[in-house]
Amino acid sequence: MSDELTSELRELAATGETPPPLSGAEIRGRAVRRRRHRRTAAAVVGASAAAALALVVILNLGGDTERHPSPAASPTGTPTTPATPDASVDLFRRVVTVAGRELPLSSGSPLTPTRAGRMTVTAKVTMKLVPAEELRFEGYDMKLPWFIELRASDGKTNYIAGLTYDEKAPGYYNTTSGWIGLRENDAEWLYGQLKEGSVVDIEGAAPTPTPVSTPTPRLTSPTATAAVGP
């Protein structure tokens, strides 16, 4: 066999040889590098998932405030007292103002004043029997038509009704024991305007009656009378 052929066969055998096996240290190093690659990949995936979850939470909490109002902005359901009353009572002018209409009234005198303040209609009856002592009458009770009961926040009560026994009083002088009296026709109209829960503001105080001066009679002395003669 020629030398050239022998050389070629040796080269071919060398190319077909398997690489020598790795040492133990090299195998351990390769395993450590693989574990590091896996940990790095897991950390990247976890960070991406956390970032996506945080974005979803932010969008749900702050990005849709119109459809998800905060509890503080939600209605509590507590009823509120209206700023504008349904009826206003001016004790000084002696009028009740309702729906742009003024009704003359008679209230309590300075000795039995009508209490001012905000009150609410709590009951209504077309006719109410009121005890004589409550009306400051003596001897008999009285039926008052178109009776509207009022109650203040502290529990004290009053009422509005027709002043049938003195229809000249409303608008001119005060004659009740503290309640508000109207002419019977006006009381009926007001009865239809107000309902239970309506708010009535009572303001001012009844005017003090002007004392009527009585002229002092002039006395004529006997001397002066005697001096006057034919």
Side-chain angles (χ1 to χ4, degrees):
M1 184 178 294
S2 63
D3 294 336
E4 292 181 359
L5 180 59
T6 302
S7 177
E8 290 179 357
L9 290 175
R10 289 178 177 175
E11 291 180 359
L12 180 62
T15 56
E17 292 180 354
T18 59
L22 299 175
S23 65
E26 291 176 335
I27 293 173
R28 286 193 297 271
R30 180 174 294 181
V32 170
R33 287 193 295 274
R34 289 177 179 176
R35 286 197 297 270
R36 288 177 179 174
H37 287 315
R38 288 196 295 269
R39 291 175 181 174
T40 302
V44 171
V45 172
S48 300
L53 179 60
L55 179 59
V56 171
V57 172
I58 291 173
L59 291 176
N60 287 337
L61 292 179
D64 194 13
T65 56
E66 292 185 358
R67 289 186 295 176
H68 303 282
S70 63
S74 302
T76 60
T78 303
T80 57
T81 305
T84 303
D86 299 289
S88 298
V89 176
D90 189 330
L91 298 176
F92 186 79
R93 295 178 55 231
R94 298 191 182 100
V95 292
V96 181
T97 303
V98 181
R101 179 178 173 182
E102 290 189 345
L103 312 175
L105 66 85
S106 178
S107 64
S109 66
L111 296 178
T112 56
T114 300
R115 182 186 178 193
R118 173 160 287 194
M119 309 191 82
T120 304
V121 176
T122 55
K124 294 169 52 179
V125 291
T126 56
M127 188 70 68
K128 175 80 171 182
L129 181 64
V130 182
E133 58 270 18
E134 187 173 331
L135 294 171
R136 302 293 176 90
F137 288 160
E138 294 182 2
Y140 57 92
D141 302 337
M142 181 169 291
K143 292 182 179 180
L144 298 181
W146 314 113
F147 189 95
I148 302 173
E149 183 180 275
L150 306 174
R151 185 181 299 274
S153 58
D154 59 3
K156 293 185 178 181
T157 61
N158 203 348
Y159 54 89
I160 305 173
L163 188 61
T164 54
Y165 60 85
D166 192 354
E167 291 231 342
K168 294 181 180 179
Y172 294 99
Y173 54 90
N174 299 312
T175 185
T176 76
S177 58
W179 56 283
I180 298 169
L182 306 177
R183 296 168 184 164
E184 187 171 0
N185 290 339
D186 291 341
E188 181 180 2
W189 181 85
L190 182 64
Y191 187 93
Q193 293 293 313
L194 300 182
K195 60 183 179 179
E196 290 189 21
S198 295
V199 175
V200 179
D201 274 355
I202 304 175
E203 302 173 348
T208 303
T210 304
V212 178
S213 59
T214 303
T216 304
R218 298 179 60 185
L219 298 178
T220 305
S221 62
T223 305
T225 304
V228 179

